[in-house]
Coordinates of all heavy atoms in Angstrom, one line a residue:
M1 N 0.9 -1.2 0.0 CA 0.0 0.0 0.0 C 0.9 1.2 0.0 O 1.8 1.4 0.9 CB -0.9 0.0 1.2 CG -1.9 1.1 1.3 SD -2.9 1.0 2.8 CE -4.1 -0.3 2.4
N2 N 0.7 2.1 -0.9 CA 1.5 3.3 -0.9 C 1.0 4.4 0.1 O 0.0 4.3 0.7 CB 1.6 3.9 -2.3 CG 0.3 4.4 -2.9 OD1 -0.5 4.8 -2.1 ND2 0.1 4.3 -4.2
A3 N 1.8 5.4 0.3 CA 1.6 6.4 1.3 C 0.2 7.1 1.1 O -0.5 7.4 2.1 CB 2.7 7.4 1.4
S4 N -0.2 7.4 -0.1 CA -1.4 8.1 -0.4 C -2.6 7.2 0.0 O -3.7 7.8 0.4 CB -1.5 8.6 -1.8 OG -1.6 7.4 -2.7
N5 N -2.5 5.9 -0.1 CA -3.7 5.0 0.2 C -3.8 4.8 1.7 O -4.9 4.4 2.2 CB -3.5 3.7 -0.5 CG -3.8 3.7 -1.9 OD1 -4.4 4.7 -2.4 ND2 -3.3 2.8 -2.7
Q6 N -2.8 5.1 2.5 CA -2.9 4.9 3.9 C -3.8 5.9 4.6 O -4.2 5.7 5.8 CB -1.5 4.9 4.6 CG -0.6 3.8 4.1 CD 0.8 3.9 4.7 OE1 1.2 4.9 5.2 NE2 1.5 2.8 4.6
H7 N -4.1 7.0 4.0 CA -4.9 8.0 4.6 C -6.3 8.1 4.0 O -7.0 9.0 4.3 CB -4.2 9.4 4.5 CG -2.9 9.4 5.1 ND1 -2.7 9.4 6.5 CD2 -1.6 9.5 4.6 CE1 -1.4 9.4 6.8 NE2 -0.7 9.5 5.7
T8 N -6.7 7.1 3.2 CA -8.0 7.1 2.6 C -8.6 5.7 2.9 O -8.0 4.7 3.1 CB -8.0 7.3 1.1 OG1 -7.2 6.3 0.5 CG2 -7.4 8.7 0.8
I9 N -10.0 5.7 2.9 CA -10.7 4.5 3.0 C -11.0 3.9 1.7 O -10.5 2.8 1.4 CB -12.1 4.8 3.8 CG1 -11.8 5.4 5.1 CG2 -12.9 3.5 3.9 CD1 -13.1 5.9 5.8
L10 N -11.7 4.5 0.8 CA -12.1 4.1 -0.5 C -12.3 5.3 -1.4 O -12.9 6.3 -0.9 CB -13.3 3.2 -0.5 CG -13.3 1.7 -0.3 CD1 -14.6 1.1 -0.3 CD2 -12.4 1.0 -1.3
F11 N -11.9 5.2 -2.6 CA -12.2 6.2 -3.6 C -11.8 7.6 -3.1 O -12.5 8.6 -3.4 CB -13.7 6.2 -4.0 CG -14.2 4.9 -4.4 CD1 -15.1 4.2 -3.7 CD2 -13.7 4.3 -5.6 CE1 -15.6 3.0 -4.1 CE2 -14.1 3.1 -6.0 CZ -15.1 2.4 -5.3
G12 N -10.7 7.7 -2.4 CA -10.2 9.0 -2.0 C -10.9 9.6 -0.7 O -10.6 10.7 -0.3
I13 N -11.8 8.8 -0.2 CA -12.5 9.3 1.1 C -11.5 9.3 2.2 O -10.9 8.2 2.5 CB -13.7 8.5 1.4 CG1 -14.8 8.5 0.3 CG2 -14.4 8.9 2.7 CD1 -15.9 7.6 0.4
P14 N -11.3 10.4 2.9 CA -10.3 10.4 3.9 C -10.7 9.6 5.2 O -11.9 9.5 5.5 CB -10.1 11.9 4.3 CG -11.4 12.5 3.9 CD -11.9 11.7 2.7
K15 N -9.7 9.0 5.9 CA -10.0 8.3 7.1 C -10.3 9.3 8.2 O -9.9 10.5 8.1 CB -8.8 7.5 7.6 CG -8.5 6.3 6.8 CD -7.4 5.5 7.4 CE -7.2 4.2 6.7 NZ -6.1 3.4 7.3
L16 N -11.1 8.9 9.1 CA -11.5 9.8 10.2 C -10.3 10.0 11.2 O -9.5 9.0 11.3 CB -12.7 9.2 11.0 CG -14.0 9.1 10.3 CD1 -15.0 8.3 11.0 CD2 -14.5 10.5 9.9
P17 N -10.2 11.1 11.9 CA -9.1 11.2 12.9 C -9.3 10.2 14.0 O -10.4 9.7 14.3 CB -9.4 12.6 13.4 CG -10.1 13.3 12.4 CD -11.0 12.3 11.7
A18 N -8.2 9.9 14.7 CA -8.2 8.8 15.7 C -9.2 9.1 16.9 O -9.7 8.2 17.5 CB -6.8 8.7 16.3
R19 N -9.5 10.4 17.1 CA -10.4 10.8 18.2 C -11.8 10.2 18.0 O -12.6 10.1 19.0 CB -10.4 12.3 18.5 CG -11.1 13.1 17.3 CD -11.0 14.6 17.7 NE -11.6 15.3 16.6 CZ -11.0 15.9 15.6 NH1 -9.7 15.7 15.5 NH2 -11.6 16.6 14.7
Y20 N -12.2 9.8 16.8 CA -13.5 9.3 16.5 C -13.6 7.8 16.8 O -14.7 7.2 16.6 CB -13.9 9.6 15.1 CG -14.2 11.1 14.9 CD1 -13.3 11.9 14.1 CD2 -15.3 11.7 15.4 CE1 -13.5 13.2 13.9 CE2 -15.5 13.1 15.2 CZ -14.6 13.8 14.5 OH -14.8 15.1 14.3
A21 N -12.5 7.2 17.1 CA -12.5 5.7 17.3 C -13.5 5.3 18.4 O -14.0 4.2 18.4 CB -11.1 5.2 17.6
T22 N -13.7 6.2 19.4 CA -14.6 5.8 20.5 C -16.0 5.7 20.1 O -16.8 5.2 20.8 CB -14.4 6.8 21.7 OG1 -14.7 8.1 21.2 CG2 -13.0 6.8 22.3
V23 N -16.3 6.3 19.0 CA -17.7 6.2 18.4 C -17.8 5.2 17.3 O -18.8 4.5 17.2 CB -18.2 7.6 18.0 CG1 -19.6 7.5 17.3 CG2 -18.2 8.6 19.1
V24 N -16.7 5.2 16.5 CA -16.8 4.3 15.3 C -16.8 2.8 15.7 O -17.5 2.0 15.1 CB -15.6 4.6 14.4 CG1 -15.5 3.6 13.2 CG2 -15.7 6.0 13.8
M25 N -16.0 2.5 16.7 CA -15.9 1.1 17.1 C -17.3 0.6 17.7 O -17.7 -0.5 17.2 CB -14.8 0.9 18.2 CG -14.4 -0.6 18.4 SD -15.3 -1.5 19.7 CE -14.8 -0.6 21.1
P26 N -17.9 1.3 18.6 CA -19.3 0.8 19.0 C -20.3 0.8 17.9 O -21.2 0.0 17.8 CB -19.7 1.7 20.1 CG -18.5 2.6 20.4 CD -17.5 2.4 19.4
L27 N -20.1 1.8 16.9 CA -21.0 1.9 15.8 C -20.9 0.6 14.9 O -21.9 -0.1 14.7 CB -20.7 3.1 14.9 CG -21.5 3.2 13.6 CD1 -23.0 3.5 13.9 CD2 -20.9 4.2 12.7
L28 N -19.7 0.2 14.6 CA -19.5 -1.0 13.8 C -19.9 -2.2 14.5 O -20.5 -3.1 14.0 CB -18.1 -1.1 13.3 CG -17.6 0.1 12.4 CD1 -16.1 -0.1 12.1 CD2 -18.4 0.1 11.1
L29 N -19.5 -2.3 15.8 CA -19.9 -3.5 16.6 C -21.4 -3.6 16.7 O -21.9 -4.7 16.6 CB -19.2 -3.3 18.0 CG -19.4 -4.5 18.9 CD1 -18.8 -5.8 18.4 CD2 -18.8 -4.2 20.3
S30 N -22.1 -2.5 17.0 CA -23.5 -2.6 17.1 C -24.2 -3.0 15.8 O -25.2 -3.8 15.8 CB -24.1 -1.3 17.6 OG -24.0 -0.3 16.7
I31 N -23.7 -2.5 14.7 CA -24.3 -2.9 13.4 C -24.1 -4.4 13.1 O -25.1 -5.1 12.8 CB -23.6 -2.0 12.2 CG1 -24.1 -0.6 12.3 CG2 -23.9 -2.7 10.9 CD1 -23.4 0.3 11.4
L32 N -22.9 -4.9 13.3 CA -22.6 -6.3 13.0 C -23.4 -7.2 14.0 O -24.0 -8.2 13.6 CB -21.1 -6.6 13.1 CG -20.3 -6.0 12.0 CD1 -18.8 -6.1 12.2 CD2 -20.7 -6.6 10.7
M33 N -23.3 -6.9 15.3 CA -23.9 -7.8 16.3 C -25.5 -7.8 16.1 O -26.1 -8.9 16.1 CB -23.5 -7.4 17.7 CG -22.1 -7.7 18.0 SD -21.7 -9.4 17.8 CE -22.7 -10.2 19.1
T34 N -26.1 -6.7 16.0 CA -27.5 -6.7 15.8 C -28.0 -7.3 14.5 O -29.0 -7.9 14.5 CB -28.1 -5.2 15.9 OG1 -27.5 -4.4 15.0 CG2 -27.9 -4.7 17.3
C35 N -27.2 -7.1 13.5 CA -27.5 -7.8 12.2 C -27.5 -9.3 12.4 O -28.5 -10.0 12.0 CB -26.4 -7.4 11.2 SG -26.5 -8.3 9.6
I36 N -26.5 -9.9 13.0 CA -26.4 -11.3 13.1 C -27.5 -11.9 14.1 O -28.2 -12.8 13.8 CB -25.0 -11.7 13.6 CG1 -24.0 -11.4 12.5 CG2 -24.9 -13.2 14.0 CD1 -22.5 -11.4 13.0
V37 N -27.6 -11.2 15.2 CA -28.6 -11.7 16.2 C -30.0 -11.6 15.7 O -30.8 -12.5 15.9 CB -28.4 -11.0 17.6 CG1 -29.5 -11.3 18.5 CG2 -27.0 -11.3 18.2
S38 N -30.3 -10.4 15.1 CA -31.7 -10.3 14.6 C -32.0 -11.2 13.4 O -33.1 -11.8 13.3 CB -32.0 -8.9 14.2 OG -31.2 -8.5 13.1
L39 N -31.0 -11.5 12.6 CA -31.1 -12.4 11.5 C -31.4 -13.9 12.0 O -32.4 -14.5 11.6 CB -29.9 -12.5 10.6 CG -30.0 -13.4 9.4 CD1 -30.0 -12.6 8.2 CD2 -28.8 -14.4 9.4
I40 N -30.7 -14.3 13.0 CA -30.9 -15.6 13.6 C -32.2 -15.7 14.3 O -33.0 -16.7 14.1 CB -29.7 -16.0 14.5 CG1 -28.4 -16.2 13.7 CG2 -30.1 -17.3 15.3 CD1 -27.2 -16.2 14.6
S41 N -32.5 -14.7 15.1 CA -33.8 -14.7 15.8 C -35.0 -14.6 14.9 O -36.0 -15.4 15.1 CB -33.8 -13.4 16.7 OG -35.0 -13.4 17.4
T42 N -34.9 -13.8 13.8 CA -36.0 -13.8 12.9 C -36.2 -15.1 12.1 O -37.3 -15.6 11.9 CB -35.8 -12.6 11.9 OG1 -35.7 -11.4 12.6 CG2 -37.0 -12.4 10.9
F43 N -35.1 -15.7 11.7 CA -35.2 -16.9 11.0 C -35.7 -18.0 11.9 O -36.6 -18.8 11.4 CB -33.8 -17.3 10.5 CG -33.8 -18.6 9.7 CD1 -34.3 -18.6 8.4 CD2 -33.3 -19.8 10.2 CE1 -34.3 -19.7 7.6 CE2 -33.4 -21.0 9.5 CZ -33.9 -20.9 8.2
K44 N -35.3 -18.1 13.1 CA -35.9 -19.1 14.1 C -37.3 -18.8 14.3 O -38.1 -19.8 14.5 CB -35.1 -19.0 15.4 CG -35.4 -20.1 16.3 CD -34.5 -20.1 17.5 CE -34.7 -21.1 18.6 NZ -35.8 -21.9 18.7
S45 N -37.8 -17.6 14.3 CA -39.1 -17.3 14.6 C -40.1 -17.5 13.5 O -41.1 -18.2 13.6 CB -39.2 -15.8 15.0 OG -40.6 -15.4 15.3
I46 N -39.7 -17.1 12.2 CA -40.7 -17.2 11.1 C -40.2 -18.1 10.0 O -40.9 -18.3 9.0 CB -41.1 -15.8 10.6 CG1 -39.9 -15.1 9.9 CG2 -41.8 -15.0 11.6 CD1 -40.3 -13.8 9.2
G47 N -38.9 -18.5 10.0 CA -38.4 -19.3 8.9 C -38.2 -18.4 7.7 O -38.3 -17.2 7.7
M48 N -37.9 -19.1 6.6 CA -37.6 -18.4 5.3 C -39.0 -18.2 4.6 O -39.3 -18.8 3.6 CB -36.7 -19.2 4.5 CG -36.1 -18.5 3.3 SD -35.4 -16.9 3.7 CE -33.8 -17.4 4.4
S49 N -39.7 -17.2 5.2 CA -41.0 -16.9 4.6 C -40.9 -15.7 3.7 O -39.9 -15.1 3.6 CB -42.0 -16.6 5.8 OG -41.7 -15.4 6.3
P50 N -42.0 -15.4 2.9 CA -41.9 -14.3 2.0 C -41.7 -12.9 2.7 O -41.2 -12.0 2.2 CB -43.3 -14.3 1.3 CG -43.8 -15.7 1.5 CD -43.2 -16.2 2.7
Q51 N -42.1 -12.9 4.0 CA -41.9 -11.6 4.8 C -40.6 -11.6 5.5 O -40.3 -10.6 6.3 CB -43.0 -11.4 5.8 CG -44.4 -11.6 5.4 CD -44.9 -13.0 5.7 OE1 -44.2 -13.9 6.1 NE2 -46.2 -13.2 5.6
F52 N -39.7 -12.6 5.3 CA -38.5 -12.7 6.1 C -37.7 -11.4 6.0 O -37.3 -10.8 7.1 CB -37.6 -13.8 5.7 CG -36.3 -13.9 6.4 CD1 -36.3 -14.5 7.7 CD2 -35.2 -13.4 5.8 CE1 -35.1 -14.5 8.4 CE2 -34.0 -13.5 6.5 CZ -33.9 -14.0 7.8
T53 N -37.4 -10.9 4.8 CA -36.5 -9.7 4.7 C -37.1 -8.5 5.4 O -36.4 -7.8 6.1 CB -36.3 -9.4 3.2 OG1 -35.7 -10.6 2.6 CG2 -35.3 -8.3 3.1
S54 N -38.4 -8.2 5.2 CA -39.0 -7.0 5.8 C -39.0 -7.2 7.3 O -38.8 -6.2 8.1 CB -40.4 -6.7 5.3 OG -41.3 -7.8 5.6
K55 N -39.4 -8.3 7.8 CA -39.4 -8.6 9.3 C -38.0 -8.5 9.9 O -37.8 -7.9 10.9 CB -40.0 -10.0 9.6 CG -41.4 -10.2 9.2 CD -42.3 -9.5 10.2 CE -43.7 -9.8 9.9 NZ -44.7 -9.1 10.7
W56 N -37.0 -9.0 9.2 CA -35.6 -9.0 9.7 C -35.1 -7.6 9.7 O -34.5 -7.1 10.7 CB -34.7 -9.9 8.9 CG -33.3 -9.7 9.1 CD1 -32.7 -9.8 10.4 CD2 -32.3 -9.4 8.2 NE1 -31.3 -9.5 10.2 CE2 -31.1 -9.3 8.9 CE3 -32.3 -9.2 6.8 CZ2 -29.9 -9.0 8.3 CZ3 -31.1 -8.9 6.2 CH2 -29.9 -8.8 6.9
L57 N -35.3 -6.8 8.6 CA -34.8 -5.4 8.6 C -35.5 -4.6 9.7 O -34.9 -3.7 10.3 CB -35.0 -4.8 7.2 CG -34.1 -5.4 6.1 CD1 -34.5 -4.8 4.8 CD2 -32.7 -5.2 6.5
G58 N -36.8 -4.8 9.9 CA -37.5 -4.1 11.0 C -36.9 -4.4 12.4 O -36.7 -3.5 13.2
A59 N -36.7 -5.7 12.6 CA -36.1 -6.1 13.9 C -34.7 -5.6 14.0 O -34.3 -5.2 15.1 CB -36.1 -7.7 14.0
W60 N -33.9 -5.6 12.9 CA -32.5 -5.1 12.9 C -32.5 -3.6 13.3 O -31.8 -3.1 14.1 CB -31.9 -5.4 11.6 CG -30.4 -5.0 11.6 CD1 -29.6 -4.7 12.6 CD2 -29.6 -4.9 10.4 NE1 -28.3 -4.4 12.1 CE2 -28.3 -4.6 10.8 CE3 -29.9 -5.2 9.1 CZ2 -27.3 -4.4 9.9 CZ3 -28.8 -5.1 8.2 CH2 -27.5 -4.7 8.6
G61 N -33.4 -2.8 12.7 CA -33.4 -1.4 12.9 C -33.7 -1.1 14.4 O -33.1 -0.2 15.0
I62 N -34.7 -1.7 14.9 CA -35.1 -1.5 16.3 C -34.0 -1.9 17.2 O -33.6 -1.2 18.2 CB -36.4 -2.2 16.7 CG1 -37.6 -1.5 15.9 CG2 -36.7 -2.2 18.2 CD1 -38.9 -2.3 16.0
S63 N -33.4 -3.1 17.0 CA -32.4 -3.6 17.9 C -31.1 -2.7 17.8 O -30.4 -2.4 18.8 CB -32.0 -5.0 17.6 OG -31.5 -5.2 16.3
W64 N -30.8 -2.1 16.6 CA -29.7 -1.3 16.5 C -29.9 0.1 17.2 O -29.0 0.6 17.9 CB -29.3 -1.0 15.0 CG -28.1 -0.1 14.9 CD1 -26.8 -0.5 15.0 CD2 -28.1 1.3 14.8 NE1 -26.0 0.6 15.0 CE2 -26.8 1.8 14.8 CE3 -29.1 2.3 14.6 CZ2 -26.4 3.1 14.7 CZ3 -28.8 3.6 14.5 CH2 -27.4 4.0 14.5
L65 N -31.1 0.6 17.1 CA -31.4 1.9 17.8 C -31.2 1.7 19.3 O -30.9 2.7 20.0 CB -32.9 2.3 17.5 CG -33.1 2.9 16.1 CD1 -34.6 3.1 15.9 CD2 -32.3 4.2 15.9
I66 N -31.4 0.6 19.8 CA -31.2 0.3 21.3 C -29.8 0.0 21.5 O -29.2 0.5 22.5 CB -32.2 -0.8 21.8 CG1 -33.6 -0.3 21.6 CG2 -31.8 -1.2 23.2 CD1 -34.6 -1.4 21.8
A67 N -29.2 -0.9 20.7 CA -27.8 -1.4 21.0 C -26.7 -0.3 20.9 O -25.8 -0.3 21.7 CB -27.5 -2.5 20.0
F68 N -26.8 0.6 19.9 CA -25.7 1.6 19.8 C -25.6 2.5 21.0 O -24.5 2.6 21.6 CB -25.9 2.4 18.5 CG -24.8 3.4 18.2 CD1 -23.5 3.0 18.2 CD2 -25.2 4.7 18.0 CE1 -22.5 3.9 18.0 CE2 -24.2 5.6 17.7 CZ -22.8 5.3 17.7
P69 N -26.7 3.2 21.5 CA -26.5 4.0 22.6 C -26.1 3.2 23.9 O -25.3 3.7 24.7 CB -27.9 4.7 22.8 CG -28.7 4.3 21.7 CD -28.0 3.3 20.9
V70 N -26.6 2.0 24.0 CA -26.3 1.2 25.1 C -24.8 0.9 25.1 O -24.1 0.9 26.1 CB -27.1 -0.1 25.2 CG1 -26.5 -1.1 26.2 CG2 -28.5 0.2 25.5
L71 N -24.2 0.5 23.9 CA -22.8 0.3 23.8 C -22.0 1.5 24.2 O -21.0 1.4 24.8 CB -22.5 -0.2 22.4 CG -22.4 -1.6 22.1 CD1 -22.2 -1.9 20.6 CD2 -21.4 -2.3 22.9
L72 N -22.4 2.7 23.8 CA -21.7 3.9 24.1 C -21.7 4.1 25.6 O -20.7 4.6 26.2 CB -22.4 5.1 23.4 CG -22.2 5.2 21.9 CD1 -23.0 6.4 21.4 CD2 -20.8 5.4 21.5
L73 N -22.7 3.7 26.3 CA -22.8 3.9 27.8 C -22.0 2.8 28.5 O -21.3 3.1 29.5 CB -24.3 3.9 28.2 CG -25.1 5.0 27.8 CD1 -26.6 4.8 28.2 CD2 -24.6 6.3 28.4
V74 N -22.1 1.6 28.1 CA -21.5 0.5 28.9 C -20.0 0.2 28.5 O -19.3 -0.5 29.2 CB -22.3 -0.8 28.8 CG1 -23.7 -0.6 29.3 CG2 -22.3 -1.4 27.5
L75 N -19.6 0.6 27.3 CA -18.2 0.3 26.9 C -17.1 0.7 27.9 O -16.2 0.0 28.1 CB -18.0 0.8 25.5 CG -16.8 0.1 24.7 CD1 -17.0 -1.4 24.7 CD2 -16.8 0.7 23.3
P76 N -17.2 1.9 28.4 CA -16.2 2.3 29.4 C -16.2 1.3 30.7 O -15.1 1.0 31.2 CB -16.6 3.7 29.9 CG -17.4 4.2 28.7 CD -18.1 3.0 28.1
V77 N -17.3 0.9 31.1 CA -17.4 0.0 32.2 C -16.8 -1.4 31.8 O -16.1 -2.0 32.6 CB -18.9 -0.2 32.7 CG1 -19.0 -1.3 33.7 CG2 -19.5 1.1 33.1
V78 N -17.1 -1.9 30.6 CA -16.6 -3.1 30.1 C -15.0 -3.0 30.0 O -14.3 -4.0 30.3 CB -17.2 -3.5 28.8 CG1 -16.5 -4.7 28.2 CG2 -18.7 -3.8 29.0
R79 N -14.5 -1.9 29.5 CA -13.1 -1.7 29.4 C -12.4 -1.8 30.8 O -11.4 -2.5 31.0 CB -12.7 -0.4 28.8 CG -12.9 -0.4 27.3 CD -12.3 0.8 26.6 NE -12.5 0.8 25.2 CZ -13.2 1.6 24.5 NH1 -13.8 2.7 25.1 NH2 -13.3 1.5 23.2
K80 N -13.0 -1.2 31.8 CA -12.5 -1.2 33.2 C -12.6 -2.7 33.8 O -11.6 -3.1 34.4 CB -13.2 -0.3 34.1 CG -12.9 1.2 33.8 CD -13.6 2.1 34.7 CE -13.3 3.6 34.4 NZ -14.1 4.5 35.2
A81 N -13.7 -3.3 33.5 CA -13.8 -4.7 34.0 C -12.8 -5.6 33.3 O -12.2 -6.5 34.0 CB -15.2 -5.2 33.7
T82 N -12.6 -5.4 32.0 CA -11.6 -6.2 31.3 C -10.2 -5.9 31.9 O -9.4 -6.9 32.1 CB -11.6 -5.9 29.8 OG1 -12.9 -6.2 29.3 CG2 -10.6 -6.7 29.0
A83 N -9.9 -4.7 32.1 CA -8.5 -4.3 32.7 C -8.3 -5.0 34.0 O -7.2 -5.3 34.4 CB -8.4 -2.8 32.7
A84 N -9.4 -5.1 34.8 CA -9.3 -5.7 36.1 C -9.1 -7.2 36.0 O -8.5 -7.8 36.9 CB -10.6 -5.4 36.9
L85 N -9.5 -7.8 34.9 CA -9.4 -9.3 34.8 C -8.2 -9.8 34.0 O -7.8 -10.9 34.1 CB -10.7 -9.8 34.1 CG -12.0 -9.6 34.9 CD1 -13.2 -10.0 34.0 CD2 -12.0 -10.5 36.1
V86 N -7.6 -8.9 33.2 CA -6.5 -9.3 32.3 C -5.2 -8.5 32.6 O -5.3 -7.3 32.9 CB -6.9 -8.9 30.8 CG1 -5.9 -9.3 29.8 CG2 -8.2 -9.7 30.5
R87 N -4.1 -9.3 32.6 CA -2.8 -8.6 32.9 C -2.4 -7.8 31.7 O -2.7 -8.2 30.5 CB -1.7 -9.7 33.0 CG -1.6 -10.2 34.4 CD -0.5 -11.2 34.5 NE -0.9 -12.4 33.8 CZ -0.2 -13.5 33.6 NH1 1.1 -13.5 34.0 NH2 -0.6 -14.5 33.0
P88 N -1.7 -6.7 31.9 CA -1.3 -5.9 30.8 C -0.2 -6.7 30.0 O 0.5 -7.5 30.5 CB -0.6 -4.7 31.5 CG -1.0 -4.7 32.9 CD -1.4 -6.1 33.2
A89 N -0.1 -6.3 28.7 CA 0.8 -7.0 27.8 C 2.2 -6.8 28.1 O 2.6 -5.8 28.7 CB 0.5 -6.6 26.3

């Protein structure tokens, strides 16, 4: 990777400054986790029915709206608990 690509994400879009990592990490984590959990839960509940996609997307949206702010609130507590349980490198 050359030097000009290290500062961009895709198509010349610049990377965010490091100070945004505290928001970007829970954002990505909440998107992925709610996607997977709602997909499994919806599939278990209604199976592969014609309404599966709309039901799943609705469940995903609601669960993400709850999960993202919760992650922002609890992540500092989880970091402290992890530091109490794990030796430093």
Side-chain angles (χ1 to χ4, degrees):
M1 185 181 281
N2 63 32
S4 65
N5 287 342
Q6 292 177 346
H7 300 290
T8 62
I9 299 169
L10 274 177
F11 306 115
I13 298 170
K15 287 186 177 182
L16 296 170
R19 68 180 179 267
Y20 292 107
T22 57
V23 175
V24 172
M25 197 267 296
L27 173 70
L28 296 175
L29 183 61
S30 65
I31 288 170
L32 290 171
M33 290 301 297
T34 56
C35 172
I36 294 165
V37 171
S38 64
L39 181 112
I40 292 168
S41 179
T42 304
F43 183 75
K44 188 173 178 349
S45 177
I46 65 170
M48 194 52 75
S49 71
Q51 312 98 347
F52 177 80
T53 303
S54 65
K55 296 282 187 185
W56 169 53
L57 290 174
W60 185 11
I62 291 169
S63 62
W64 181 81
L65 284 173
I66 294 166
F68 182 55
V70 168
L71 268 174
L72 289 174
L73 293 173
V74 302
L75 202 53
V77 175
V78 171
R79 283 190 179 119
K80 288 180 183 177
T82 301
L85 296 170
V86 177
R87 274 184 286 177

